[in-house]
Amino acid sequence: MRIGELSRRSGVPVPTIKYYVREGLLPAGQLTSPNQASYDAGHERRLRLIRALLDVGGLSLSAIGDVLEAVDDPEQPVHKVLGAAAEGVTPTDEEETGPELEEAREEVAELLERRGWHVEEESTAGESLAGVLVALRRAGHGGFTELLDVYADAAEPVARADLDYVARRVAREDLVESVVVGTVLGEAMFGALRRLAHVDASARLYEEPGTGDEGVADAGEPGGEGVADAGEGAPGGAEDASGGGSAASGAPEPGARV
């Protein structure tokens, strides 16, 4: 296909496609004449991946280049390729320093050892977690860290489900794209579900019978309808919680579609 058709099929403007070629992110097309080049489905797939990394993952063009280099290296195991993509889309607070951060890093290392997780201590996600622990303590809620293993228990089956979804992909680029989208939007989905569960748990824990709220009955009330106790019944009375959330996009290159 000509570059114009590639642009129409991918939704990426022609000047941006040319920019990606100049930057080495997109392979050049096959020359059919001195001023014409031909592109194929592989170029379209690569453009889709670049846009996912840029628009959804919020990666810089330099970081995108690193991920694409891993994708293009046939010697790199798929695990390493997926790791490069996941590392690139995990935010970190590079301004955090000092003894508080070192203490938090030790806690993260202990967590990884305790859980038997095969993760390097200095991983981007580990650094991100350490930054969260520091922020919790500075906010006066250091006790919240006691829930680390509770959160880890919840994270493990979600991670397995994510990778089950990823495993359905065949092409290496499709694998990376699914990791990027799943990491960013999957976290937004998980966060929305957590907020919905908060509303339900709050209603079960704090709503008292006789307040006029329908659907919540005393656990010992004969024939009571709605929620009998914290472990039975369908969630009721939960307010809608938005799952919205968007990843910050990297600085657009000249001619890039925003």
Side-chain angles (χ1 to χ4, degrees):
M1 72 184 86
R2 298 284 182 84
I3 192 170
E5 183 180 354
L6 177 62
S7 174
R8 287 191 296 272
R9 293 179 60 166
S10 66
V12 179
V14 170
T16 303
I17 294 175
K18 293 181 178 180
Y19 178 81
Y20 291 158
V21 172
R22 290 197 304 272
E23 292 297 309
L25 300 177
L26 182 70
Q30 182 176 1
L31 288 176
T32 56
S33 70
N35 297 319
Q36 296 288 342
S38 176
Y39 300 86
D40 57 25
H43 291 89
E44 184 180 353
R45 184 188 302 118
R46 175 57 60 94
L47 280 174
R48 185 178 64 195
L49 176 57
I50 293 173
R51 300 310 299 191
L53 292 167
L54 181 66
D55 298 335
V56 181
L59 274 68
S60 66
L61 291 179
S62 175
I64 291 174
D66 292 339
V67 173
L68 296 179
E69 183 178 352
V71 171
D72 292 335
D73 184 357
E75 300 299 322
Q76 287 280 0
V78 172
H79 172 71
K80 294 293 185 181
V81 176
L82 299 184
E87 289 285 292
V89 300
T90 304
T92 57
D93 189 347
E94 298 179 353
E95 297 181 358
E96 289 287 358
T97 57
E100 290 177 313
L101 180 60
E102 292 304 318
E103 180 181 348
R105 284 171 173 165
E106 291 179 5
E107 288 185 69
V108 172
E110 292 172 0
L111 172 71
L112 296 178
E113 183 177 0
R114 185 168 65 249
R115 307 291 304 190
W117 286 359
H118 302 285
V119 183
E120 296 179 358
E121 296 176 10
E122 64 274 12
S123 67
T124 306
E127 285 292 290
S128 180
L129 177 57
V132 171
L133 299 183
V134 171
L136 282 170
R137 290 195 171 89
R138 289 179 179 174
H141 291 277
F144 201 81
T145 59
E146 297 174 4
L147 300 180
L148 270 176
D149 281 289
V150 176
Y151 274 69
D153 287 340
E156 286 181 346
V158 172
R160 286 192 293 269
D162 286 343
L163 290 181
D164 285 343
Y165 171 78
V166 171
R168 303 174 197 170
R169 271 54 186 165
V170 178
R172 288 164 69 94
E173 292 190 357
D174 287 341
L175 283 170
V176 175
E177 182 177 341
S178 63
V179 167
V180 172
V181 175
T183 298
V184 178
L185 300 185
E187 287 187 4
M189 180 170 66
F190 188 77
L193 287 169
R194 178 172 175 264
R195 291 192 295 274
L196 287 169
H198 274 178
V199 175
D200 173 67
S202 177
R204 293 170 185 267
L205 183 62
Y206 297 113
E207 290 287 356
E208 296 181 356
T211 59
D213 292 325
E214 298 180 1
V216 179
D218 191 296
E221 180 181 346
E225 297 180 354
V227 178
D229 58 39
E232 297 179 2
E239 298 174 1
D240 185 26
S242 172
S246 60
S249 175
E253 68 283 359
R257 177 172 55 85
V258 180

